[in-house]
């Protein structure tokens, strides 16, 4: 439901993850999940969805959080 295969201009297949909101580049701090580090958070509806590093993301809204902390709640 959240991944699509897209053929690019060079006729190569690429997996694209779809999300409503992409929070990109911040430092993720989530003690409950033992997360601390730079990364991206994808949101679809009211849920956080997982993505594999290196996957392309297609989001309706993208928020650059470089230099910011991203925390739950």
């Amino acid at each position: 439901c959240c991944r699509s295969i897209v053929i690019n201009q060079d006729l190569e297949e690429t997996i694209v993850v779809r999300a409503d909101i992409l929070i990109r580049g911040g430092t993720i701090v989530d003690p409950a999940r033992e997360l601390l580090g730079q990364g991206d958070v994808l949101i679809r509806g009211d849920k956080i969805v997982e993505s594999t590093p290196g996957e392309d993301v297609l989001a309706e809204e993208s928020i650059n959080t470089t230099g910011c902390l991203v925390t739950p709640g």
Side-chain angles (χ1 to χ4, degrees):
C1 76
C2 61
R3 287 174 171 73
S4 301
I5 296 176
V6 175
I7 309 284
N8 65 19
Q9 294 175 357
D10 297 325
L11 300 178
E12 298 171 334
E13 289 185 357
T14 303
I15 296 176
V16 176
V17 179
R18 297 184 183 272
D20 296 326
I21 300 172
L22 168 61
I23 301 171
R24 172 165 278 168
T27 300
I28 300 170
V29 180
D30 186 350
R33 294 181 57 194
E34 298 182 2
L35 292 175
L36 175 61
Q38 188 170 356
D40 300 336
V41 176
L42 283 70
I43 301 171
R44 186 177 311 108
D46 62 352
K47 303 223 185 279
I48 295 174
V49 295
E50 299 288 331
S51 73
T52 303
E55 285 183 319
D56 291 328
V57 177
L58 179 61
E60 292 183 26
E61 181 178 355
S62 182
I63 302 168
N64 182 351
T65 56
T66 302
C68 299
L69 297 177
V70 178
T71 62

